Amino acid sequence: MTTMFRSIVSTAARHRARPPVERSTFVMAQHGPFRLAIPVECVLRVERATTASALVPFGGAMLPVHALAISEEAEGCHTRHPDDRVLILRAHAAAPPHLVGLVHAVLDVVAVETVLVRPRSMLTEDVPAHPAVRGMFPRMDSPVWVIDPARFPRPA
């Protein structure tokens, strides 16, 4: 039995010695034809959008709603629906809410191997010109655009 135990221990030690895989976690959302990935640490809250209101209460203030459209094609898709969601976003962990983003759906929270996320400078596909687009990773044979909430213009 001792020999068997030693072989199991040595096998387990080899598995622990493998380097950890770096992962980035994103909230995936849909706006128009585009799937977006927002770093999970930037999402403070997800709420159902009220169809009539252009303001959302948060922390004692009324914050204006801004569609998370990353192209002119998506900007035309901002008709409000009962299934819409608003994401209360911040630029980074220590920042106050930066903006309230309107999306058509929140799809999932995904962990993606960081090496699979290609930065904007390395992309050859048709990259949306919006400055918030920072990169892309493929998911189920379609692109998911990684966005930086700090790069969305603040609504007036």
Side-chain angles (χ1 to χ4, degrees), residues 49-73:
T50 56
T51 55
S53 179
L55 298 172
V56 172
F58 184 78
M62 297 299 283
L63 302 175
V65 176
H66 180 68
L68 293 184
I70 59 171
S71 76
E72 291 176 13
E73 180 182 353

Short mmCIF file of all heavy atoms in Angstrom, two decimals, residues 49-73:
data_model
loop_
_atom_site.label_atom_id
_atom_site.label_comp_id
_atom_site.label_asym_id
_atom_site.label_seq_id
_atom_site.Cartn_x
_atom_site.Cartn_y
_atom_site.Cartn_z
N ALA A 49 -34.55 47.65 -17.08
CA ALA A 49 -34.74 49.05 -17.50
C ALA A 49 -36.23 49.37 -17.50
O ALA A 49 -37.04 48.58 -17.96
CB ALA A 49 -34.17 49.24 -18.90
N THR A 50 -36.55 50.53 -16.97
CA THR A 50 -37.93 51.00 -17.10
C THR A 50 -38.04 51.64 -18.47
O THR A 50 -37.15 52.39 -18.89
CB THR A 50 -38.29 52.01 -16.00
OG1 THR A 50 -37.36 53.08 -16.04
CG2 THR A 50 -38.24 51.36 -14.62
N THR A 51 -39.08 51.32 -19.20
CA THR A 51 -39.15 51.73 -20.61
C THR A 51 -39.27 53.23 -20.79
O THR A 51 -38.84 53.76 -21.79
CB THR A 51 -40.34 51.04 -21.31
OG1 THR A 51 -41.52 51.32 -20.57
CG2 THR A 51 -40.11 49.56 -21.41
N ALA A 52 -39.82 53.96 -19.84
CA ALA A 52 -40.04 55.39 -20.05
C ALA A 52 -38.92 56.26 -19.51
O ALA A 52 -38.69 57.35 -20.00
CB ALA A 52 -41.36 55.79 -19.41
N SER A 53 -38.22 55.81 -18.51
CA SER A 53 -37.29 56.68 -17.80
C SER A 53 -35.94 56.79 -18.49
O SER A 53 -35.37 55.80 -18.95
CB SER A 53 -37.08 56.16 -16.38
OG SER A 53 -36.18 56.98 -15.70
N ALA A 54 -35.42 58.01 -18.53
CA ALA A 54 -34.07 58.26 -19.05
C ALA A 54 -33.08 58.43 -17.90
O ALA A 54 -31.91 58.70 -18.12
CB ALA A 54 -34.07 59.50 -19.93
N LEU A 55 -33.58 58.28 -16.65
CA LEU A 55 -32.74 58.41 -15.46
C LEU A 55 -32.92 57.18 -14.58
O LEU A 55 -34.01 56.60 -14.51
CB LEU A 55 -33.12 59.66 -14.67
CG LEU A 55 -32.93 61.00 -15.37
CD1 LEU A 55 -33.53 62.12 -14.54
CD2 LEU A 55 -31.46 61.28 -15.64
N VAL A 56 -31.86 56.79 -13.89
CA VAL A 56 -31.90 55.65 -12.98
C VAL A 56 -31.41 56.12 -11.61
O VAL A 56 -30.34 56.75 -11.52
CB VAL A 56 -30.99 54.50 -13.49
CG1 VAL A 56 -30.87 53.40 -12.47
CG2 VAL A 56 -31.53 53.96 -14.80
N PRO A 57 -32.17 55.83 -10.54
CA PRO A 57 -31.70 56.23 -9.21
C PRO A 57 -30.57 55.31 -8.74
O PRO A 57 -30.64 54.10 -8.88
CB PRO A 57 -32.94 56.07 -8.33
CG PRO A 57 -33.79 55.07 -9.05
CD PRO A 57 -33.49 55.20 -10.51
N PHE A 58 -29.51 55.93 -8.20
CA PHE A 58 -28.42 55.14 -7.64
C PHE A 58 -27.67 56.00 -6.64
O PHE A 58 -27.21 57.10 -6.97
CB PHE A 58 -27.46 54.66 -8.73
CG PHE A 58 -26.37 53.78 -8.19
CD1 PHE A 58 -26.62 52.45 -7.87
CD2 PHE A 58 -25.10 54.29 -7.96
CE1 PHE A 58 -25.62 51.64 -7.36
CE2 PHE A 58 -24.09 53.48 -7.45
CZ PHE A 58 -24.36 52.16 -7.15
N GLY A 59 -27.55 55.54 -5.43
CA GLY A 59 -26.79 56.23 -4.39
C GLY A 59 -27.29 57.63 -4.09
O GLY A 59 -26.49 58.52 -3.86
N GLY A 60 -28.59 57.83 -4.13
CA GLY A 60 -29.17 59.13 -3.83
C GLY A 60 -29.13 60.11 -4.98
O GLY A 60 -29.52 61.26 -4.82
N ALA A 61 -28.68 59.70 -6.14
CA ALA A 61 -28.63 60.59 -7.31
C ALA A 61 -29.39 59.93 -8.46
O ALA A 61 -29.62 58.72 -8.46
CB ALA A 61 -27.18 60.84 -7.72
N MET A 62 -29.76 60.73 -9.42
CA MET A 62 -30.40 60.23 -10.63
C MET A 62 -29.35 60.26 -11.75
O MET A 62 -28.86 61.33 -12.12
CB MET A 62 -31.61 61.08 -11.00
CG MET A 62 -32.71 61.05 -9.96
SD MET A 62 -33.40 59.40 -9.69
CE MET A 62 -34.43 59.22 -11.11
N LEU A 63 -28.99 59.09 -12.25
CA LEU A 63 -27.96 58.98 -13.28
C LEU A 63 -28.60 58.82 -14.65
O LEU A 63 -29.53 58.02 -14.81
CB LEU A 63 -27.05 57.79 -12.99
CG LEU A 63 -26.34 57.80 -11.64
CD1 LEU A 63 -25.57 56.49 -11.44
CD2 LEU A 63 -25.40 58.98 -11.55
N PRO A 64 -28.11 59.54 -15.67
CA PRO A 64 -28.68 59.41 -17.02
C PRO A 64 -28.30 58.09 -17.66
O PRO A 64 -27.21 57.56 -17.45
CB PRO A 64 -28.07 60.59 -17.78
CG PRO A 64 -26.85 60.95 -17.03
CD PRO A 64 -27.06 60.55 -15.60
N VAL A 65 -29.22 57.53 -18.45
CA VAL A 65 -29.01 56.26 -19.15
C VAL A 65 -28.37 56.55 -20.51
O VAL A 65 -28.78 57.46 -21.22
CB VAL A 65 -30.34 55.50 -19.33
CG1 VAL A 65 -30.13 54.24 -20.14
CG2 VAL A 65 -30.95 55.18 -17.98
N HIS A 66 -27.36 55.76 -20.84
CA HIS A 66 -26.60 55.92 -22.08
C HIS A 66 -26.55 54.55 -22.77
O HIS A 66 -26.10 53.58 -22.18
CB HIS A 66 -25.19 56.40 -21.73
CG HIS A 66 -24.29 56.61 -22.89
ND1 HIS A 66 -24.48 57.60 -23.81
CD2 HIS A 66 -23.16 55.95 -23.26
CE1 HIS A 66 -23.51 57.56 -24.70
NE2 HIS A 66 -22.71 56.56 -24.39
N ALA A 67 -27.00 54.47 -24.03
CA ALA A 67 -26.95 53.20 -24.76
C ALA A 67 -25.50 52.80 -25.00
O ALA A 67 -24.68 53.64 -25.38
CB ALA A 67 -27.69 53.32 -26.08
N LEU A 68 -25.19 51.54 -24.77
CA LEU A 68 -23.82 51.06 -24.99
C LEU A 68 -23.64 50.66 -26.46
O LEU A 68 -23.32 49.52 -26.79
CB LEU A 68 -23.51 49.88 -24.07
CG LEU A 68 -23.44 50.20 -22.59
CD1 LEU A 68 -23.03 48.97 -21.79
CD2 LEU A 68 -22.49 51.34 -22.29
N ALA A 69 -23.85 51.62 -27.34
CA ALA A 69 -23.72 51.39 -28.78
C ALA A 69 -22.27 51.65 -29.18
O ALA A 69 -21.73 52.71 -28.88
CB ALA A 69 -24.66 52.31 -29.55
N ILE A 70 -21.66 50.68 -29.86
CA ILE A 70 -20.26 50.84 -30.24
C ILE A 70 -20.11 51.13 -31.73
O ILE A 70 -19.00 51.19 -32.23
CB ILE A 70 -19.42 49.61 -29.85
CG1 ILE A 70 -19.95 48.34 -30.49
CG2 ILE A 70 -19.34 49.49 -28.34
CD1 ILE A 70 -19.05 47.13 -30.31
N SER A 71 -21.23 51.31 -32.44
CA SER A 71 -21.17 51.67 -33.86
C SER A 71 -22.45 52.39 -34.24
O SER A 71 -23.44 52.38 -33.50
CB SER A 71 -21.00 50.42 -34.73
OG SER A 71 -22.23 49.73 -34.81
N GLU A 72 -22.42 53.02 -35.40
CA GLU A 72 -23.62 53.70 -35.89
C GLU A 72 -24.75 52.69 -36.11
O GLU A 72 -25.91 53.00 -35.90
CB GLU A 72 -23.31 54.45 -37.17
CG GLU A 72 -22.40 55.64 -36.95
CD GLU A 72 -22.02 56.33 -38.24
OE1 GLU A 72 -22.65 56.06 -39.28
OE2 GLU A 72 -21.09 57.15 -38.20
N GLU A 73 -24.40 51.49 -36.54
CA GLU A 73 -25.39 50.43 -36.75
C GLU A 73 -26.11 50.10 -35.44
O GLU A 73 -27.33 49.96 -35.41
CB GLU A 73 -24.69 49.19 -37.30
CG GLU A 73 -25.59 48.02 -37.57
CD GLU A 73 -24.81 46.82 -38.06
OE1 GLU A 73 -23.59 46.92 -38.31
OE2 GLU A 73 -25.44 45.75 -38.18
#
